[in-house]
């Protein structure tokens, strides 16, 4: 085939891609529906012009179109890894991990239910063997992730719900393709009725083998990319190779799922890439993958649609009945998931509540597309699959895909309108009015500065300023006096705006490299939690998200357990250093939010709302400072090293700005600028290295700071530091229960706790202890202790506490004072061996 003709056809396909997106927006149809329609029209047109005798002039073009090397391997080895890899890179993975249970359950269960539903329905309605019917079920159980995501963007769905459905649709493809490989093997081997137990037993091997391959490939790629820190194009090129090598390695070498390998590689790079690559390189890498995925998604739809006329050439009347069976079975399976499993997950508090209108939109928006057609094509190409099965697989998969695109795709927006999902809620309407008022205030300030710089006529400036001022006053009055906004909603709107400004501030600090790339994703995720918490739960939701951002997570507790029981300090050192840096980054950002409250929020929502937001901000700052103080007490000097590192990064950012300004002003040439930036990059790379945290050597420093342990000899302090156990608790955690036998005494290294006994309440802070009364009086505990802030506790068992009491007069005095406060005679506390 002529290379010029092939190049013309490919260039024309890109032209179609460019036209399809604005056409879809104008016709208000899903982008994938437009692409598929154009592909079908091109395929029908090529067949028509090749077979008609009206003209032969277009025969070469028609032959070039029909002769394109469109094979299933092109879709599976070229386009599919691109789509899956970009989808994982584009995820907010830390937020997605919060909902991993519903995502995984929905993805795996949905695929299995759809496969079995379609498979057994077809087996009862046709003469096909069960293996072939289950194969068709696996093929049609794949949904189009881009279609699902576009649905939720068009209806402004809650972010958490959108994340769950997006993650489910991505992993849905991976699970379906893994099942497809299983049943394809049975069909090719001629096994008519496979044992489902044996089939599903191989499923974990495909999953975990692929996941391990993808993780290992990504770790190696990140290590190599980190070596090329000054060569951005080299890093991006390695990222392009990663998904394809992971896919091929899993499929050809390991015998596992290549799709799972690509997903695992993308997730691993998403987690580790921001901390190992320069911020600008990471941004450019993701932008490149956005473009590649856009092209791959469009091409896979068009090229797959070109095959539809060919796949339907041998269609018969009876086949339409079977297509109807597939449609009904697939919809029934989706109904079970959406109206059975989702409410159950909500009841178990594993998933957010999904309102009925959203579930209907998800049901009708389950479009199938290029992946379904590509899998069907793989079956029709295999010479080891009987001809009758090839024909039916191609027709049923194609017919079902056309139904979802033509019927569901074209009516989806109408369904959304009938459900009322395209209308803003009252609070969103209020938010839109707030946005207008804030934007106009900013515009007025910028316009005023611009007119001063250009020295325009005062009369013109005064006239235009008057007109703009009237519009601004109307916008502000509408935002302030809207009758349908209650005070509670005003506070919610203020919190949403505050959290949004916090997110913008974080992004600015990341671009300036004031906040390191390692912490960027986590700090941004915390800001997203604040926005979602305020939108869904108002003030309480915002405060809950704020507490979460400074709380000790499960990973922190797990590494603390490993350190205390197994004496492995490496994981705890890494996660503690991350917590140090995270808290410093939060403090940096929170200090900048007061001006936003006093400025824009106060002008729109009034003084009362601004004061309430100020209180919330002050509490957040106090909690961050408390958490930082606790870490400083445990690891003195380390916080100073991190602060020095922050100052060095800030100085380098200012130095870079000065060089750039001089270059733009023509004071230095390109050669000098390049030389200066090379030196700056070397210093910046050195400043990015985080100091090492040695946990083992600093426990004794923490013990020395306790007034209760004053007077102990150095040898006693060292022994005590070795036997004390560190325990981390979050605000609200129950530390001691009533009616339990006392076995330990706790010392508060940082944070605060609240004691409740006999209807009385005491609050204890840093340096104090609790649990000693029950031990010394040999009673069952009558006190309940709960943390009221993220706290670090030191735990000492009863035997060692009694020994320590005999050696420390300061500790004995503290026990006496605590007893007197509670009305207990000190003489009732001590045995003879306690006072010797």
């Amino acid at each position: 085939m002529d290379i010029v003709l092939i190049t013309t056809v490919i260039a024309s396909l890109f032209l179609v891609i460019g036209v399809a997106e604005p056409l879809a927006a104008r016709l208000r149809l899903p982008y994938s529906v437009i692409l598929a329609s154009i592909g079908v029209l091109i395929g029908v047109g090529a067949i028509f012009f090749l077979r008609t005798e009206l003209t032969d002039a277009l025969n070469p073009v028609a032959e070039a179109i029909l002769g394109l090397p469109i094979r299933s391997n092109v879709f599976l080895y070229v386009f599919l890894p691109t789509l899956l890899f970009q989808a994982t890179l584009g995820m907010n993975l830390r937020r997605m991990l919060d909902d991993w249970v519903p995502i995984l359950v929905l993805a795996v269960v949905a695929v299995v239910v759809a496969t079995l539903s379609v498979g057994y329905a077809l087996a009862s309605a046709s003469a096909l063997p069960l293996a072939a019917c289950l194969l068709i079920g696996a093929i049609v159980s794949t949904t189009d992730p881009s279609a699902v995501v576009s649905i939720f963007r068009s209806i402004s769905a809650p972010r958490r719900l959108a994340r769950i459905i997006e993650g489910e649709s991505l992993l849905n493809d991976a699970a379906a393709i893994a099942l497809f490989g299983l049943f394809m093997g049975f069909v090719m081997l001629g096994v008519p009725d496979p044992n489902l137990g044996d089939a599903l037993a191989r499923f974990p091997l495909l999953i975990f083998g692929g996941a391990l391959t993808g993780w290992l490939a990504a770790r190696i790629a990140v290590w190599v990319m980190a070596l090329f820190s000054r060569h951005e194009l080299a890093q991006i090129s390695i990222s392009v190779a990663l998904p394809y090598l992971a896919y091929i390695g899993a499929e050809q070498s390991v015998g596992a799922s290549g799709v799972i390998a690509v997903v695992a590689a993308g997730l691993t790079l998403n987690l580790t890439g921001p901390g190992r690559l320069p911020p600008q390189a990471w941004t450019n890498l993701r932008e490149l993958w956005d473009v590649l995925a856009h092209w791959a998604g469009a091409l896979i739809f068009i090229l797959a649609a070109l095959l539809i006329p060919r796949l339907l050439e041998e269609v018969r009347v009876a086949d339409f009945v079977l297509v109807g069976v597939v449609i009904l079975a697939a919809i029934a399976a989706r109904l079970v998931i959406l109206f059975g499993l989702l409410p159950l997950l909500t009841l178990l508090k594993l998933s957010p509540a999904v309102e009925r209108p959203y579930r209907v939109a998800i049901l009708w928006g389950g479009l199938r597309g290029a992946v379904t057609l590509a899998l069907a094509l793989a079956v029709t190409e295999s010479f080891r699959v009987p001809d009758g099965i090839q024909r039916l697989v191609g027709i049923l998969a194609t017919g079902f895909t056309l139904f979802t695109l033509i019927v569901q795709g074209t009516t989806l927006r109408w369904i959304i309108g009938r459900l009322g999902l395209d209308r803003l809620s009252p609070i969103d309407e209020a938010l839109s009015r707030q946005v207008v008022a804030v934007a106009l205030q900013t515009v007025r300030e910028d316009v005023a500065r611009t007119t001063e710089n250009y020295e325009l006529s005062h009369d013109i400036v005064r006239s235009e300023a008057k007109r703009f001022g009237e519009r601004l006053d109307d916008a502000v009055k509408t935002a302030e006096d809207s009758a349908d906004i209650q005070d509670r909603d005003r506070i919610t709107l203020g919190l949403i705006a505050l959290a949004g400004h916090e997110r913008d501030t974080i992004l600015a600090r990341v671009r300036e490299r004031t906040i390191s790339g390692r912490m960027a994703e986590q700090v941004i995720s915390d800001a997203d939690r604040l926005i979602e918490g305020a939108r869904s739960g108002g003030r309480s939701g915002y405060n809950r998200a704020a507490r979460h951002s400074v709380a000790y997570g499960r990973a922190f507790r797990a590494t603390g357990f490993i350190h205390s029981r197994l004496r492995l300090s490496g994981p705890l050192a890494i996660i503690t250093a991350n917590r140090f840096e995270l808290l410093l980054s939060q403090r940096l950002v929170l200090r900048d939010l007061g001006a936003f409250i006093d400025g824009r929020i106060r002008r729109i929502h009034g003084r009362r709302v601004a004061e309430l937001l100020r209180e919330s901000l002050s509490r957040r700052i106090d909690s961050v400072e408390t958490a930082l103080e606790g870490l400083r007490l445990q690891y003195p000097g380390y916080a100073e090293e991190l602060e020095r590192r922050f100052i060095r990064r800030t100085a380098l950012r200012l130095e870079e700005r000065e060089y750039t300004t001089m270059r733009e002003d023509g004071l230095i040439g390109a050669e000098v600028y390049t030389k200066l930036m090379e030196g700056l990059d070397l210093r910046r790379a050195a400043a990015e290295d985080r100091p090492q945290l040695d946990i083992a050597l600093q426990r004794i420093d923490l013990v020395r700071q306790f007034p209760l342990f004053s007077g102990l000899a150095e040898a006693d302090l060292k022994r005590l530091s070795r036997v004390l156990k560190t325990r981390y608790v979050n605000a609200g955690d129950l530390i001691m229960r009533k009616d339990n036998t006392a076995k330990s005494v706790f010392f508060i290294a940082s944070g605060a706790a609240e004691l409740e006994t006999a209807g009385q309440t005491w609050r204890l802070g840093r340096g104090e202890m609790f649990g000693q009364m029950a031990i010394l009086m040999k009673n069952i505990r009558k006190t309940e202790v709960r943390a009221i802030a993220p706290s670090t506790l030191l735990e000492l068992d009863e035997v060692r506490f009694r020994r320590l009491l005999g050696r420390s007069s300061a500790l004995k005095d503290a026990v006496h004072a605590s007893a007197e406060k509670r009305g207990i005679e000190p003489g009732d506390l001590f045995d003879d061996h306690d006072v010797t």
Side-chain angles (χ1 to χ4, degrees), residues 77-316:
Y77 282 87
V78 178
F79 294 131
L80 190 60
T82 307
L83 294 175
L84 294 175
F85 193 72
Q86 185 276 332
T88 56
L89 286 183
M91 286 180 174
N92 186 337
L93 193 55
R94 295 186 185 276
R95 299 294 291 116
M96 198 81 74
L97 289 175
D98 293 342
D99 296 304
W100 69 272
V101 173
I103 289 173
L104 199 60
V105 170
L106 281 174
V108 176
V109 175
V111 168
V112 173
V113 170
T115 301
L116 296 179
S117 175
V118 173
Y120 280 100
L122 269 179
S124 63
S126 70
L128 286 172
L130 179 61
C133 294
L134 292 172
L135 176 64
I136 295 172
I139 290 173
V140 301
S141 63
T142 61
T143 56
D144 176 23
S146 62
V148 176
V149 173
S150 65
I151 292 166
F152 282 98
R153 288 176 181 168
S154 67
I155 62 179
S156 301
R159 289 189 183 181
R160 188 183 178 198
L161 175 59
R163 272 198 311 271
I164 290 175
I165 300 302
E166 181 182 356
E168 182 261 341
S169 64
L170 174 66
L171 297 181
N172 172 297
D173 277 357
I177 294 172
L179 275 180
F180 166 81
L182 282 177
F183 294 122
M184 184 68 169
F186 287 125
V187 171
M188 290 190 298
L189 292 173
V191 180
D193 297 312
N195 187 315
L196 288 182
D198 294 341
L200 295 178
R202 293 175 54 197
F203 199 56
L205 176 63
L206 291 173
I207 299 293
F208 292 113
L212 181 61
T213 303
W215 174 82
L216 184 61
R219 294 294 297 181
I220 295 173
V222 170
W223 176 72
V224 175
M225 292 162 73
L227 294 178
F228 303 153
S229 58
R230 294 179 56 196
H231 304 280
E232 182 179 315
L233 294 179
Q235 293 173 331
I236 294 176
S237 300
I238 292 171
S239 78
V240 172
L242 172 60
Y244 303 105
L245 294 178
Y247 189 97
I248 294 169
E251 289 279 342
Q252 303 297 326
S253 301
V254 181
S257 170
V259 174
I260 297 295
V262 171
V263 171
L267 295 178
T268 304
L269 182 59
N270 191 341
L271 275 176
T272 59
R276 303 294 300 274
L277 305 181
Q280 192 57 47
W282 178 248
T283 300
N284 293 339
L285 183 150
R286 291 180 61 170
E287 289 177 352
L288 173 68
W289 274 103
D290 287 342
V291 174
L292 291 177
H294 176 72
W295 287 343
L299 285 172
I300 195 174
F301 255 106
I302 294 175
L303 295 176
L306 284 173
L307 302 172
I308 290 177
R310 234 180 297 171
L311 291 172
L312 295 179
E313 280 184 336
E314 300 180 17
V315 67
R316 302 166 188 169

Side-chain angles (χ1 to χ4, degrees), residues 322-336:
L322 295 181
V323 170
V325 171
V326 173
I327 292 170
L328 292 176
I331 292 176
R334 200 66 175 159
L335 280 169
V336 170

Side-chain angles (χ1 to χ4, degrees), residues 604-644:
I604 294 175
H605 294 295
R607 185 178 65 183
R608 181 173 174 275
V609 173
E611 289 175 351
L612 289 173
L613 265 60
R614 266 286 189 182
E615 291 177 10
S616 296
L617 180 61
S618 297
R619 283 196 295 271
R620 288 189 63 196
I621 292 174
D622 290 342
S623 65
V624 170
E625 292 289 357
T626 300
L628 267 175
E629 181 63 22
L631 289 175
R632 283 196 180 97
L633 288 170
Q634 287 179 266
Y635 312 109
Y638 188 74
E640 295 179 8
E641 290 298 320
L642 288 180
E643 288 171 351
R644 292 178 189 276

Side-chain angles (χ1 to χ4, degrees), residues 475-483 485 490 602-606:
V476 173
K477 189 174 185 304
T478 302
E480 289 179 346
D481 301 334
S482 181
I485 306 179
R490 289 186 184 279
R602 187 186 185 97
R603 282 185 284 179
I604 294 175
H605 294 295

